[in-house]
Amino acid sequence: MKSVQKKVTETRLLEPLPEMDEQQFSQWMDLLEERTGTVLPPERKSFLVTNLGLRMREIGCRSYQDYYKMLSGVQGLKEWNILVDRITVHETRFFRHPTSLDLVREYVAKKPADQNSGHVSVQAWSVACSTGEEAYTLAMVIDQTFKQRGESSYFGITATDISPASLMTGRKGLYPQRRMKDLEPDLLEEYFHVVEKKDYQVSDYLRKRICFARMNVMDIVDEPVGQMDIIYCQNLLIYFDRPTRTDIVKNMARHLMPGGLLILGSGELLNMEHPELEKINHPRVLAYRRLKEIDKDYE
Ligand SMILES: C[S@@+](CC[C@H](N)C(=O)[O-])C[C@H]1O[C@@H](n2cnc3c(N)ncnc32)[C@H](O)[C@@H]1O
């Protein structure tokens, strides 16, 4: 009996789904934009169709319209949480943009100690952290810089993303060997240990400094993330149109301490002006320093 059922499921998985017409594509693009803010260009249609199709086959749904309806029904939120992971891009790696990380190092090396406590502390935020590599990279860079300073210090990292599945991977902090190629051997030794002779587990020392949380970047203004010294947001803004990119940056700036550092992906937002953000003059890094309190009326 079981094998008959298995065969039926396998056959279903292999059956091609119907073509997605332009009207349906635009309906799915609107849903994606409404819920995540991201804009899918027409050339990404095959990415959407393939990934929607895979998920629909998994749950035995044969029509785009029925699946669309399901997402707004009672089961909608649960299913959306699974789908959002499939239709967003999660590519990431450790030490992805070394020149931006040099700026982090420089900031942490120079940050003055608090006059009352005598401690140096840094709060950083990896916005759209995907599966966690970016957050762990920031943690290693900050920890190494503090060790070189040799003073009493503390750091914490907030790592957020819209995809629950990616956050789960980040929280586990367990990565296959092939993902470790960009790490210096001494960092690998200091912050990871090998599990079952193949995977690398991030040390508890780093993991307990990182808080992974679900957050849609479109809701940043209302989120209680506190004031940050460093906001690191790379390879996210490219999925939004220009007005939305500018709004996201303005909203992130509200969560930045005066003097704090906002690092974006180079080329992701050109010619942005903001009265309280000073652009850092660097040929290969797109970054801003917050000058003072943000005027709350600034739109
Ligand atoms: C290409 S990855 C970038 C990962 C990392 N920042 C890096 O540069 O390596 C983009 C991430 O943005 C997330 N994302 C997409 N839309 C989002 C939104 N509206 N709010 C928060 N995260 C979002 C995706 O889930 C994905 O993990």
Side-chain angles (χ1 to χ4, degrees), residues 35-38 84 88-93 96 126-131 134 160-163 166 215-218 233-236 239-240:
R35 295 201 180 181
T36 70
T38 54
V84 76
T88 44
V89 179
H90 301 285
E91 188 192 333
T92 188
R93 56 182 186 274
R96 185 168 188 178
S126 162
V127 183
C129 62
S130 188
T131 39
E134 183 179 272
T160 61
D161 200 280
I162 201 170
S163 156
S166 298
M215 194 188 294
N216 186 340
V217 82
M218 302 301 286
C233 177
Q234 296 201 325
N235 303 298
L236 172 72
Y239 301 107
F240 297 84

Side-chain angles (χ1 to χ4, degrees), residues 122-126 138 142 155-159 228-232:
V122 167
Q123 290 296 333
W125 180 10
S126 162
L138 288 172
I142 297 171
F155 72 92
I157 306 224
T158 303
M228 297 286 159
D229 296 294
I230 299 168
I231 300 182
Y232 200 90

